[in-house]
Amino acid sequence: EADVFTYDPGFTSTASCDSTITFIDGGKGELLHRGYPIDQLAEKSHYLEVCYLLLYGELPTAAQLEDFESRVTHHTMVHEQMHKFYSGFRRDAHPMAIMVGVVGAMSAFYHDSTDISDPWQREVASIRMIAKMPTIAAMAFKYTIGQPFVYPRNDLDYASNFLRMCFAVPAQEYEVNPILSRAMDRIFTLHADHEQNASTSTVRLASSSGANPFASIAAGIACLWGPAHGGANQACLEMLQEIGTVDRIPEFIARAKDKDDPFRLMGFGHRVYKNFDPRATVMKQSADEVLDLLGVEDNPILQVAKELEKQALNDPYFADKKLFPNVDFYSGIILEAMGFPTSMFTPIFALSRTVGWISQWKEMISDPTMKIGRPRQLYTGETQRNYVEVEDR
Ligand code: SDX
């Protein structure tokens, strides 16, 4: 019998790492980016300023912010040949499948930002990823709904550009409503980074081998897609739509509590937060604002969400297990009200989280002591034994 208690799995740097970017206190429901609380950033800052903070560690001066925003703006177009890449997908492909493929192939288009040993190339890759993800996501959306791609414009802010690339058509210009654009920007900010979640750890592990940044980000997109992670916003809205009316909530709460039923309340629970997810609190306020603006404050889905939250929070099962709404619980309601199909919810999460993936990637590969990630295991299989000829088995 192998003595598992003396067997050291030898966890490597990527199983757990030190970082200066984001701090989470799951017990207090606290989230800090470079020391700044998420609720202050969501209220007072905007996404590109938060990108600067995550990338470089400090809030920018006015001149630094203007230069950064200009560099991002002037990288928002994608190589024209990338348009042809989309036409290889079926029109009913999930936009996340398209994003994994397109981002994974970006090293074939941007050879001059793949050498991670070159600080200049690392910087260009970072700016390109942040700048192009809204364009790539919007193109995935347009492709799957059979509409022509819309090019980015340099006179629009980051969130307005994304909304226009998604909703403008040649026959009808899209006038961006500043309140919707602010709500979109806030959704980007609330999803920007979140310490060592599954997709960020995937990006760290992939890039620890020296893989180029585009391939590493594509690995993160693939991981984020799962319904237990970034796919939860789509799964949550589909769950609320399935519940449909307030009187069916008890049935679903009972299923979520039933050990023999694999159903879980999507948008509830978290690996780290054992208190309210501070992002969910801000998202809930934003949902009220957006639906009020759109004149759909009596949206039945929002009524179901609010009543479900109230009943779950008053149920001892969820309280005992410290299950609270997470960032995905309200985001889908806002995105649906804005006109996005559920299939675009996770691509928007991926777009938002790109700066977190890139910031953590830069932090890790800039560390000269970095080693390739090689998590170990606690082996619980057979001890050594000799081969048995087939006739003797
Ligand atoms: C994100 O890591 C990050 O930071 C992720 C993220 C980010 O920004 O990157 O915050 C984004 O992924 C948010 C999470 C989105 N996922 C969902 O909303 C899917 C529904 N939630 C769950 O699948 C679940 O809560 C997880 C996956 C999020 C966490 O899984 P755990 O670690 O198993 O949950 P837990 O330890 O908190 O569970 C404690 C108990 C378990 O029961 P027991 O085995 O102890 O009897 O609560 C149960 C779970 O079965 N439970 C739920 C539940 N979540 C956990 N029961 C019903 N409904 C749920 N949603």
Side-chain angles (χ1 to χ4, degrees):
E1 274 291 302
D3 176 357
V4 293
F5 296 104
T6 57
Y7 171 66
D8 168 13
F11 286 106
T12 63
S13 62
T14 50
S16 61
C17 64
D18 54 332
S19 176
T20 61
I21 299 172
T22 290
F23 172 76
I24 298 173
D25 182 323
K28 293 183 191 162
E30 199 176 83
L31 166 57
L32 307 178
H33 288 319
R34 303 285 193 180
Y36 295 98
I38 187 62
D39 56 326
Q40 289 184 28
L41 293 172
E43 185 196 337
K44 300 174 188 289
S45 185
H46 63 278
Y47 182 68
L48 283 188
E49 184 176 74
V50 172
C51 287
Y52 186 100
L53 174 66
L54 291 170
L55 282 169
Y56 306 114
E58 296 295 338
L59 288 171
T61 62
Q64 289 168 332
L65 181 58
E66 186 183 354
D67 170 62
F68 180 73
E69 291 189 337
S70 170
R71 285 190 292 146
V72 170
T73 299
H74 291 85
H75 277 88
T76 47
M77 280 177 65
V78 295
H79 192 293
E80 198 65 8
Q81 280 296 98
M82 280 177 74
H83 289 208
K84 296 185 173 58
F85 197 97
Y86 283 73
S87 57
F89 292 96
R90 284 174 39 155
R91 288 284 184 178
D92 61 354
H94 194 293
M96 283 297 276
I98 297 175
M99 288 183 73
V100 169
V102 168
V103 172
M106 281 177 74
S107 60
F109 295 92
Y110 301 105
H111 304 290
D112 62 348
S113 49
T114 54
D115 176 359
I116 64 170
S117 65
D118 175 348
W120 182 83
Q121 292 201 34
R122 291 205 292 262
E123 181 66 15
V124 172
S126 305
I127 297 295
R128 275 185 167 140
M129 278 311 322
I130 292 166
K132 297 182 193 306
M133 280 297 263
T135 310
I136 290 167
M139 288 169 67
F141 176 43
K142 286 304 207 183
Y143 184 77
T144 56
I145 60 175
Q147 290 184 359
F149 297 140
V150 175
Y151 286 86
R153 272 181 23 193
N154 291 356
D155 62 331
L156 294 176
D157 64 70
Y158 193 86
S160 300
N161 227 343
F162 176 66
L163 287 170
R164 181 179 170 278
M165 287 191 284
C166 288
F167 296 120
V169 289
Q172 177 73 46
E173 186 44 79
Y174 175 78
E175 289 305 321
V176 182
N177 179 311
I179 295 180
L180 288 190
S181 175
R182 179 76 188 119
M184 186 83 261
D185 188 275
R186 191 179 296 128
I187 286 179
F188 293 159
T189 297
L190 291 171
H191 288 86
D193 188 46
H194 209 238
E195 199 219 68
Q196 304 312 315
N197 57 84
S199 53
T200 299
S201 301
T202 300
V203 171
R204 278 180 173 263
L205 197 53
S207 52
S208 71
S209 72
N212 74 70
F214 306 113
S216 302
I217 296 294
I221 296 173
C223 176
L224 185 77
W225 194 1
H229 190 10
N233 52 18
Q234 174 174 348
C236 180
L237 196 89
E238 288 165 353
M239 173 192 74
L240 294 172
Q241 289 168 334
E242 186 189 353
I243 293 172
T245 53
V246 168
D247 61 322
R248 293 194 65 204
I249 289 174
E251 169 196 335
F252 284 81
I253 286 188
R255 283 186 57 196
K257 292 158 64 175
D258 178 355
K259 277 269 156 260
D260 300 325
D261 188 330
F263 171 76
R264 284 191 165 183
L265 286 185
M266 290 289 113
F268 261 76
H270 199 274
R271 292 298 277 134
V272 176
Y273 288 124
K274 300 309 169 190
N275 196 321
F276 249 86
D277 178 338
R279 303 168 296 175
T281 308
V282 180
M283 200 73 83
K284 182 175 179 179
Q285 291 158 6
S286 201
D288 284 333
E289 272 174 34
V290 168
L291 296 187
D292 187 46
L293 167 83
L294 296 174
V296 288
E297 61 278 9
D298 56 355
N299 173 323
I301 296 293
L302 181 66
Q303 305 317 321
V304 169
K306 288 188 169 180
E307 182 58 24
L308 172 62
E309 180 187 25
K310 192 169 120 205
Q311 292 189 25
L313 293 181
N314 289 323
D315 187 310
Y317 174 88
F318 297 96
D320 294 347
K321 290 184 181 291
K322 300 188 186 312
L323 298 177
F324 295 92
N326 59 46
V327 69
D328 296 304
F329 190 70
Y330 280 102
S331 58
I333 293 166
I334 301 173
L335 294 173
E336 194 219 25
M338 286 180 173
F340 289 105
T342 55
S343 60
M344 276 302 290
F345 292 5
T346 310
I348 289 169
F349 192 151
L351 179 180
S352 313
R353 184 52 57 88
T354 296
V355 66
W357 291 331
I358 279 287
S359 303
Q360 304 248 2
W361 165 76
K362 275 183 77 176
E363 179 179 67
M364 187 182 82
I365 60 170
S366 310
D367 173 359
T369 66
M370 178 198 84
K371 290 187 174 60
I372 182 168
R374 181 53 176 88
R376 296 300 305 277
Q377 62 179 15
L378 279 177
Y379 178 70
T380 56
E382 295 288 344
T383 50
Q384 183 170 324
R385 51 184 171 165
N386 295 318
Y387 183 79
V388 178
E389 296 303 333
V390 66
E391 58 272 13
D392 300 328
R393 289 173 201 162

